[in-house]
Amino acid sequence: MHYSSRLLENAVNEFSKLPGIGEKTALRLVLHLLAQNTEDVGKFSESLTTLKREIRYCKNCGNISDQEICEICASPKRNRELVCIVEDTRDVMAIENTNQYNGLYHVLGGLISPMDGVGPSDLNIEQLVSRVATGEIKEIVLALNATMEGDTTIFYINKKIKDYPLVISVIARGISFGGEIEYTDELTLARSIATRVPYSG
Amino acid sequence: MHYSSRLLENAVNEFSKLPGIGEKTALRLVLHLLAQNTEDVGKFSESLTTLKREIRYCKNCGNISDQEICEICASPKRNRELVCIVEDTRDVMAIENTNQYNGLYHVLGGLISPMDGVGPSDLNIEQLVSRVATGEIKEIVLALNATMEGDTTIFYINKKIKDYPLVISVIARGISFGGEIEYTDELTLARSIATRVPYSG
C-alpha cells in the first residue's frame, strides 16, 4: 500500500505482526488510536511496557502473576492435594470461570510439539516433578487440548510422574452440552460410548 | 473473566477498546506480545507513541504526513488543477493503489453526521474553500462513501463552492467489475442505467 507517512507505515507494520491481524485491520486500529488523545495513546502503550517489565510467573505453578506466588497458590481456601495441569494462563481462566474447581494449577507454558521445535525442556515440567516429589499432591488432573500435541504431552508427563503414589486423571472427552450425536465426529462419539457413566437421575 | 494479574487485566482492557477487538481476542494479542522479547515489545509501543507525537497533517490537503506538506502535494508530477475530496487517509491510499489518478487530494477528516455530532465545522472544509478561492483548481472530484453521510457532505460542499468557476464531479456509481445484475440492489441498478455511457468497443 502507498503510505503518506513512514511513521504510520511503521506502526501499521508493528500491528500486522499480531496474530490474525492483517494490514488493513492494522491500519484501522492504528488510525483509531491516532484519533484518540495523547494521554489515551500513552496509557495504551504504557499498559504493555509495564506488563512486560513487571510481570512475574508464580514460583509454584508457573501462572502469570503480579506477586512471587500467585493468588490461587497463596489462597488458604484451595485444596492443595489436587493439581490441574494446563497449557497456559488462558486455560486457568477458562477453568476458573466454571467456578467448579477448587484445587491448584500447574501451567506448562506450552505443549510438546517437535514440529514447532518445542521439547519437554522448554516447558515447566521439571518444576512439576519437584512439586510431585514433595508428596503433598494426591491427584493430578491433566487438562490439555485434545490434539496430537496435547496427547504427546500427557504421555510424557505420565511417564515422568507415574511412579509417585498419586492418582493421575485426564478430563473427560465426549459430546459437549448442546451437542448433537448426528454431528459428532466418530472418535469423540466412540470415546463417549466407551467411557459412559451411570445415569444419576 | 478471572485474571491472575492486574497488569495483564489492564493491558487486555486497553486492547479491548480497539474497534472490533473483544476481550478474548485482546487477551490473545496481549499474551502474544508478552511472549516476545522486551526489545520487540518496546518497538511496538514506541511505534505508536512516536506516531502520535510526531505525526503532522499536510497544511495543504489535510492528509497524514511526516512533513509540513505531504509528498503528494509536494510532487511536481501531479496535476494541481484536479483535486479529489475524500473522507480520510485510507481513501487516499485506496485511490493511490489504483495508479489511475494524478491529481491532488483534500482530506476532510470525516463526513457530516448529525447523529454522531459531527458538523461541517469539525471537518477540513474551510481550508478547501480557501484552496478553491485561489483559482488554481479547475476540477473537484467528490469521492465520498455512497451513504447518507456521504451524500449530505457532498450536498454541503457543493453549496459552498458551486459559485466558483470550476467543474464539480462525483465518482461514478454503478455495478462493480465482477458484479452480477441479478444480485445488484435496485438503487444502484437504476442509477447505472440512468447514467449509462456510450460503448467504446
Side-chain angles (χ1 to χ4, degrees):
Chain A
M1 283 206 271
H2 294 74
Y3 287 91
S4 58
S5 151
R6 291 284 134 70
L7 297 170
L8 178 64
E9 188 172 5
N10 186 28
V12 171
N13 284 343
E14 288 293 333
F15 270 76
S16 302
K17 290 177 192 166
L18 296 173
I21 306 284
E23 191 177 1
K24 285 211 167 183
T25 306
L27 179 60
R28 190 158 55 89
L29 298 181
V30 170
L31 289 177
H32 172 87
L33 282 163
L34 192 56
Q36 309 305 305
N37 62 44
T38 307
E39 197 190 333
D40 286 345
V41 175
K43 266 163 70 179
F44 180 91
S45 286
E46 191 61 22
S47 73
L48 259 184
T49 44
T50 309
L51 175 67
K52 184 65 189 174
R53 192 176 57 237
E54 297 183 8
I55 200 71
R56 304 205 206 171
Y57 296 89
C58 173
K59 276 197 166 175
N60 192 45
C61 71
N63 195 14
I64 288 175
S65 172
D66 292 345
Q67 280 90 35
E68 203 160 277
I69 299 294
C70 75
E71 283 177 16
I72 295 172
C73 286
S75 166
K77 290 182 186 163
R78 293 284 181 152
N79 177 359
R80 313 192 74 81
E81 299 184 339
L82 181 60
V83 171
C84 180
I85 301 187
V86 294
E87 179 183 350
D88 68 16
T89 194
R90 274 177 289 183
D91 300 326
V92 173
M93 289 165 75
I95 295 172
E96 285 297 290
N97 279 337
T98 67
N99 286 317
Q100 298 293 315
Y101 180 73
N102 190 38
L104 304 184
Y105 292 92
H106 192 83
V107 179
L108 296 176
L111 294 175
I112 296 172
S113 172
M115 294 278 282
D116 302 317
V118 182
S121 61
D122 300 313
L123 306 178
N124 192 19
I125 293 179
E126 280 311 307
Q127 169 65 6
L128 173 67
V129 177
S130 314
R131 284 179 79 180
V132 167
T134 64
E136 196 185 17
I137 302 169
K138 298 276 182 291
E139 182 176 356
I140 290 279
V141 184
L142 288 149
L144 301 181
N145 291 342
T147 58
M148 179 107 89
E149 289 79 15
D151 287 344
T152 309
T153 311
I154 288 173
F155 182 81
Y156 182 86
I157 290 176
N158 182 56
K159 214 175 62 183
K160 283 288 224 183
I161 61 177
K162 72 177 189 305
D163 295 334
Y164 292 94
L166 45 76
V167 177
I168 302 176
S169 52
V170 294
I171 53 170
R173 292 180 184 173
I175 297 175
S176 344
F177 280 89
E180 295 185 33
I181 289 177
E182 187 181 349
Y183 299 117
T184 304
D185 67 286
E186 295 152 29
L187 267 178
T188 305
L189 194 54
R191 173 80 76 109
S192 73
I193 291 171
T195 60
R196 61 196 180 277
V197 292
Y199 181 62
S200 59
Chain B
M1 284 207 270
H2 294 74
Y3 288 90
S4 59
S5 151
R6 290 285 131 71
L7 297 171
L8 179 64
E9 187 171 6
N10 186 28
V12 171
N13 284 342
E14 288 293 331
F15 270 76
S16 302
K17 291 179 191 163
L18 295 173
I21 306 285
E23 192 178 0
K24 285 211 166 182
T25 307
L27 179 60
R28 192 159 52 90
L29 298 181
V30 170
L31 289 178
H32 171 87
L33 282 164
L34 192 56
Q36 310 304 307
N37 62 45
T38 308
E39 197 189 333
D40 286 346
V41 174
K43 265 164 71 179
F44 180 91
S45 286
E46 192 61 23
S47 73
L48 257 184
T49 44
T50 310
L51 175 68
K52 184 65 189 173
R53 193 176 56 235
E54 296 182 9
I55 200 72
R56 302 205 208 173
Y57 296 89
C58 173
K59 276 197 166 176
N60 192 44
C61 72
N63 195 14
I64 288 175
S65 172
D66 292 346
Q67 281 89 37
E68 203 161 278
I69 299 293
C70 75
E71 282 176 17
I72 295 174
C73 286
S75 166
K77 290 182 185 163
R78 292 285 181 152
N79 176 0
R80 312 192 73 82
E81 300 185 338
L82 181 61
V83 171
C84 180
I85 302 186
V86 294
E87 179 182 349
D88 68 18
T89 195
R90 273 177 290 184
D91 299 327
V92 173
M93 289 165 75
I95 295 172
E96 285 297 291
N97 278 338
T98 67
N99 286 317
Q100 298 292 315
Y101 179 73
N102 189 37
L104 304 183
Y105 292 92
H106 193 84
V107 179
L108 296 176
L111 295 174
I112 297 173
S113 171
M115 294 278 282
D116 302 317
V118 181
S121 61
D122 299 313
L123 306 179
N124 192 18
I125 293 180
E126 279 310 306
Q127 169 65 6
L128 173 67
V129 177
S130 313
R131 285 178 80 179
V132 167
T134 63
E136 197 185 15
I137 302 167
K138 298 276 183 286
E139 183 176 354
I140 291 278
V141 183
L142 290 149
L144 301 181
N145 291 343
T147 58
M148 178 105 90
E149 290 77 17
D151 287 343
T152 309
T153 311
I154 288 174
F155 182 80
Y156 182 86
I157 291 177
N158 182 57
K159 214 175 62 180
K160 283 288 223 183
I161 61 176
K162 72 173 187 306
D163 294 334
Y164 292 94
L166 45 75
V167 177
I168 301 175
S169 51
V170 294
I171 53 170
R173 291 179 184 174
I175 297 174
S176 345
F177 281 89
E180 295 184 33
I181 290 178
E182 188 180 348
Y183 298 117
T184 304
D185 68 284
E186 295 151 27
L187 267 177
T188 304
L189 194 54
R191 173 78 77 106
S192 73
I193 291 171
T195 59
R196 63 192 178 278
V197 290
Y199 181 60
S200 57

